[in-house]
Amino acid sequence: IKNLKPEDLSRYNRSYEVFKTMRGTSMYYEEAKKNVMAILRQNGSPSLFVTLSCAEYSWEGLLKEIMETVYNKQFTLEEVQQLTPQEKNKLISENVIQSTLHFQKRIEKELKLMTKANFFGDDCVFRVSSYYYRVEFQQRGAPHIHTLLWLQDSDGKSAPTFWTADSEDEGCERQEEKIFEGVGYLSEF
């Protein structure tokens, strides 16, 4: 260290590297930007852009987990269904970390399911081959994600997009309908 010259400080100073993995820092988003640009170079334009929001007040399993954590006893789904909207709101707003972790696990599972064949229905040939998502939080604290999805068929052919699909091709139109029906399914998940 004694022989370190001022011009070499930036070369040996790795104290800021920890911020690359810390969400919310400029270094983290710089790394995320590099990753998404690499995905874009590799896969081209995404097939779909999807935003998924947290439906925490409708997720009875989440409410049941929070109640069991808060009150330290078992609850049935019937007891959860009897909660008033005000009680649900209070439980969710006072247990943000648990509901955010639940949302993250759901998103990870949904994205994994999307990569499986037939996610968009038996007669849709496309599946998600790659994805990129960014988590954001609404003013009320609820998370949501913005997702870029790249779709491919079993032969590795990319899904038609608004720029590449031939408007005369009825098969493409039917496949697009099945994809959008599959994305609509996520709201019920």
Side-chain angles (χ1 to χ4, degrees):
I1 292 182
K2 291 179 182 179
N3 297 332
L4 194 61
K5 298 175 187 170
E7 58 268 14
D8 292 334
L9 281 176
S10 62
R11 182 175 171 195
Y12 293 107
N13 188 0
R14 292 191 170 84
S15 59
Y16 294 106
E17 285 186 13
V18 68
F19 294 115
K20 282 186 177 181
T21 58
M22 194 177 296
R23 184 177 290 274
T25 62
S26 61
M27 290 185 77
Y28 174 86
Y29 286 114
E30 187 64 34
E31 189 71 18
K33 178 182 172 184
K34 288 177 187 175
N35 289 340
V36 77
M37 294 307 286
I39 293 170
L40 286 168
R41 277 192 302 277
Q42 195 75 22
N43 298 333
S45 295
S47 307
L48 293 173
F49 174 82
V50 179
T51 298
L52 301 173
S53 297
C54 187
E56 66 268 36
Y57 299 108
S58 302
W59 295 338
E60 293 174 349
L62 169 62
L63 291 165
K64 183 177 180 287
E65 288 174 15
I66 290 175
M67 288 175 65
E68 290 174 351
T69 302
V70 170
Y71 300 111
N72 201 22
K73 68 175 197 171
Q74 295 292 315
F75 286 91
T76 64
L77 286 179
E78 290 77 30
E79 291 172 306
V80 172
Q81 292 167 349
Q82 293 173 357
L83 291 174
T84 65
Q86 293 81 11
E87 291 170 323
K88 289 179 182 180
N89 185 26
K90 186 173 191 260
L91 278 172
I92 296 293
S93 63
E94 291 178 352
N95 296 281
V96 176
I97 293 173
Q98 191 169 357
S99 63
T100 301
L101 289 172
H102 184 88
F103 175 74
Q104 179 66 31
K105 293 296 181 189
R106 283 182 88 106
I107 291 300
E108 289 171 4
K109 186 171 185 176
E110 288 174 13
L111 290 171
K112 187 174 180 181
L113 287 172
M114 282 186 197
T115 61
K116 305 287 184 205
N118 301 330
F119 175 80
F120 295 111
D122 291 335
D123 56 341
C124 182
V125 298
F126 297 105
R127 66 171 186 78
V128 174
S129 60
S130 296
Y131 58 86
Y132 176 84
Y133 68 95
R134 175 186 166 125
V135 179
E136 294 180 357
F137 291 86
Q138 299 166 349
Q139 278 188 317
R140 63 186 174 97
H144 65 280
I145 65 166
H146 299 293
T147 315
L148 300 174
L149 302 174
W150 285 265
L151 305 178
Q152 287 184 343
D153 64 12
S154 58
D155 297 328
K157 183 180 173 191
S158 295
T161 66
F162 292 111
W163 298 274
T164 62
D166 185 4
S167 60
E168 305 282 324
D169 187 356
E170 291 181 26
C172 284
E173 288 179 16
R174 181 67 189 131
Q175 291 298 315
E176 288 172 1
E177 288 174 21
K178 294 306 292 178
I179 290 167
F180 289 118
E181 287 173 15
V183 170
Y185 159 78
L186 290 175
S187 64
E188 301 165 10
F189 183 73

